[in-house]
Amino acid sequence: MVDFPPPPAPPQDLVRRLARIVGADNVLASDLDRFVYARDRAPFGTYRLREGRLPEGWPGVVVRPADVEEVAAVLRLAAELRVPVVPYGAGSGVLGGAASLGGEIVVDLKRLSGIIEIDAVDQTVSVAAGMNGALFEEELRRSGFTCGHLPQSLAMSTVGGWVACRGAGQASSRYGKIEDMVLGLEVVLPDGRLLDIRPQARRSTGPDLAGVFVGSEGTLGVVVSATLRIWPLPAARRNFAIGFDSLEGGLDCLRRMMQAGLRPAVVRLYDAAESAARTHALAEADRGLFLCLLSFEGAERIVAAEEAEALELIGSAGGRRVADAPFHEWEAVRYQSYSPQHQAAGRFMDTIEVTLPWHALPEGYGRLKAAAQRIAPGAHFGAHWSHVYPDGACQYMTLRLDPAPLEEGEALHRAVWDAVERECVAMGGAIAHHHGIGLLRGRWMELEHGSAGLDVLAAVKRAIDPLGIMNPGKLGLTAAANARSANHG
Ligand SMILES: Cc1cc2nc3c(=O)[nH]c(=O)nc-3n(C[C@H](O)[C@H](O)[C@H](O)COP(=O)(O)OP(=O)(O)OC[C@H]3O[C@@H](n4cnc5c(N)ncnc54)[C@H](O)[C@@H]3O)c2cc1C
């Protein structure tokens, strides 16, 4: 079934004025272009598409500025005409943060690309915000460094998107999350002014200004460049796989590792469902174990010491080393996405990542699984823990619901989200660990922050963006957004 009619054409006056700023070639106003930029990787947009339905919201026009001045001029024009703006990195967000609600100027930042400077003494890099993540990391490695921010979506995301979503890479337990790496930011504010937060190891000059923009998902301005910490490429690396008899033993071991000061570059503990899919290459006796992948990297002697300490903790937690094959298999596909194959099969599928304190685990695992399966009995539920801290961990859950008619499947999918997010907060967890809020999660922001907390965020938004033109409807900052988020993704 195909949904028509197509959306109205963009106003010609707006197109002409934007073309004067960025050049006619960099104003995309055809139906096809606007269709391409209407959504991100949130699954709800894909469900519509596979049914032959058009996106619900279409941007008015897409622009591709070349530099900071052009970004500023576009925002000034948007403010003058009161047209909403959606900053757009690579559109890999999975919560609808870059999705259109209708009529916006989408500012595609990919032409703001390239490393501006590497400071090998301070070990910092300044990079334009639209740079593709994989190209950025590749160029750093050619200079002997790594940023250490390696999301699964490395090749399909931008540095600005990492900052805007407050992301976390697969090596986060060693190198930190993006907020641990950001030392400075340049942000074009909604009135077109440039805010330059100069890079500094630390400062005691009031609340952290960069922190206001890290995780702001395009609702406060456009990040045009960032200065990040970088690290020398590791001299040594030890990759291995562990099997635990029980999930409790595995989780307890990860907690004790982090509390002992170990910093694994990769740590991935899988529940029974996810372990079963990854242990086929192991000896028969090891196949029923809870699989954990580990990697330590850095200077040779430190890595050797970390490995020895880890193996001791693993032994005392009832774990044992198994063949390394599952590690290598994961490494070979670490930047690939599996959702297209399930989407193509007509399933309703999603990943939900939350943070739980250690004291809520492992019962919290069972409670979230039960919450999801109460709503969708028989649905596939798998989980792993791959971002761990001395005080808690990210529980990353994969859900797959059977094929169903669109409205029915979407309703069930939304109900599962609601049950999981509510149960998570009831256990003292956070509703999002690293994918952000976007459109879909807006309705649980008050549950997360409380009404006073959400009021503070909304007041910050009003102060920085009094016209409300920056990515309206995202981050759960308005009642209208929450109403929309109840039936959109
Ligand atoms: C298969 C897959 C795997 C993923 N794995 C991970 C993972 O391991 N870790 C992780 O953290 N995330 C992951 N994600 C989610 C997503 O890739 C990240 O959130 C990523 O940081 C988004 O970057 P982007 O450039 O694609 O941003 P977009 O999707 O284009 O935008 C995301 C949000 O940021 C805003 N934005 C983008 N650029 C700017 C800017 N320069 N200034 C202001 N606002 C901006 C947008 O308006 C939007 O609200 C994954 C996604 C997929 C599809």
Side-chain angles (χ1 to χ4, degrees):
M1 184 185 55
V2 177
D3 251 5
F4 276 111
Q12 280 314 301
D13 182 49
L14 176 63
V15 171
R16 263 193 305 276
R17 292 185 68 180
L18 288 168
R20 281 204 285 274
I21 298 171
V22 296
D25 287 352
N26 294 302
V27 180
L28 311 177
S30 71
D31 281 352
L32 180 60
D33 287 321
R34 295 187 300 135
F35 168 79
V36 167
Y37 283 88
R39 63 187 192 97
D40 58 8
R41 295 281 295 255
F44 287 87
T46 312
Y47 299 153
R48 290 184 64 83
L49 208 58
R50 75 182 180 199
E51 297 273 321
R53 303 214 192 163
L54 296 178
E56 282 185 288
W58 286 63
V61 60
V62 180
V63 292
R64 303 189 305 153
D67 54 32
V68 177
E69 289 69 32
E70 289 186 5
V71 172
V74 170
L75 293 204
R76 278 194 296 271
L77 180 64
E80 181 195 322
L81 302 177
R82 306 285 197 272
V83 182
V85 170
V86 178
Y88 202 100
S92 71
V94 286
L95 276 309
S100 170
L101 294 182
E104 303 95 338
I105 301 175
V106 170
V107 181
D108 178 343
L109 292 150
K110 285 190 278 295
R111 288 179 73 213
L112 271 73
S113 185
I115 287 183
I116 299 160
E117 187 185 8
I118 293 175
D119 187 320
V121 176
D122 294 346
Q123 282 191 189
T124 64
V125 60
S126 297
V127 54
M131 187 163 191
N132 173 278
L135 297 180
F136 170 57
E137 180 64 18
E138 199 178 297
E139 203 169 320
L140 279 178
R141 287 184 190 193
R142 276 202 297 274
S143 303
F145 294 101
T146 176
C147 169
H149 189 80
L150 307 171
Q152 185 189 359
S153 55
L154 186 69
M156 56 169 110
S157 59
T158 62
V159 176
W162 301 346
V163 172
C165 290
R166 216 176 147 82
Q170 292 168 343
S172 76
S173 303
R174 171 172 171 75
Y175 295 103
K177 273 58 55 184
I178 197 71
E179 70 272 18
D180 303 312
M181 301 168 183
V182 169
L183 297 169
L185 283 182
E186 284 188 316
V187 183
V188 176
L189 297 174
D191 62 6
R193 280 182 304 162
L194 183 68
L195 170 65
D196 180 8
I197 304 169
R198 290 178 298 114
Q200 214 60 250
R202 185 179 192 276
R203 41 163 70 90
S204 168
T205 53
D208 176 22
L209 273 190
V212 171
F213 293 90
V214 177
S216 63
E217 299 186 15
T219 62
L220 301 177
V222 177
V223 176
V224 286
S225 75
T227 301
L228 307 175
R229 290 203 164 96
I230 52 175
W231 307 88
L233 286 173
R237 182 177 286 130
R238 301 277 204 288
N239 304 328
F240 49 101
I242 301 295
F244 289 98
D245 291 326
S246 70
L247 191 56
E248 290 75 8
L251 286 166
D252 192 52
C253 182
L254 298 194
R255 175 180 64 80
R256 288 202 278 146
M257 249 187 238
M258 297 309 285
Q259 291 176 348
L262 301 185
R263 292 292 178 265
V266 174
V267 48
R268 304 178 72 83
L269 173 67
Y270 298 99
D271 75 347
E274 294 208 13
S275 293
R278 289 170 174 79
T279 44
H280 56 93
L282 295 184
E284 184 78 43
D286 293 339
R287 280 188 211 151
L289 297 174
F290 291 86
L291 181 70
C292 178
L293 308 180
L294 275 172
S295 177
F296 290 97
E297 63 183 42
E300 173 62 44
R301 279 179 294 185
I302 296 177
V303 168
E306 283 196 299
E307 182 185 34
E309 189 68 21
L311 286 172
E312 205 172 303
L313 286 172
I314 287 160
S316 65
R320 63 174 187 274
R321 198 161 171 170
V322 295
D324 296 342
F327 189 99
H328 302 305
E329 284 177 10
W330 166 77
E331 204 174 26
V333 296
R334 65 187 289 183
Y335 300 120
Q336 284 176 23
S337 163
Y338 296 99
S339 49
Q341 80 196 45
H342 296 296
Q343 284 277 11
R347 294 192 186 97
F348 291 78
M349 68 144 313
D350 219 332
T351 55
I352 306 182
E353 26 61 66
V354 299
T355 314
L356 291 172
W358 285 121
H359 72 251
L361 285 164
E363 305 88 273
Y365 162 72
R367 282 176 62 174
L368 293 183
K369 182 174 177 175
Q373 291 186 331
R374 255 196 307 276
I375 304 289
H380 168 88
F381 179 101
H384 67 261
W385 296 265
S386 54
H387 307 276
V388 291
Y389 307 80
D391 24 39
C394 165
Q395 179 163 305
Y396 188 104
M397 297 161 279
T398 301
L399 291 132
R400 288 198 291 275
L401 315 180
D402 287 340
L406 182 64
E407 278 76 16
E408 194 184 306
E410 281 189 349
L412 197 63
H413 186 162
R414 275 195 294 274
V416 169
W417 262 98
D418 192 56
V420 168
E421 294 288 52
R422 287 182 188 283
E423 190 69 17
C424 173
V425 174
M427 287 187 295
I431 60 167
H433 178 269
H434 59 268
H435 285 163
I437 300 301
L439 198 51
L440 179 64
R441 270 181 166 145
R443 82 192 91 146
W444 302 294
M445 279 290 266
E446 187 164 351
L447 195 62
E448 172 71 28
H449 293 293
S451 60
L454 197 56
D455 280 353
V456 170
L457 280 183
V460 170
K461 164 80 173 166
R462 279 194 302 277
I464 297 176
D465 180 24
L467 299 175
I469 58 168
M470 292 306 305
N471 212 3
K474 313 301 166 59
L475 270 188
L477 293 177
T478 59
N482 291 336
R484 185 73 193 268
S485 103
N487 55 18
H488 192 96

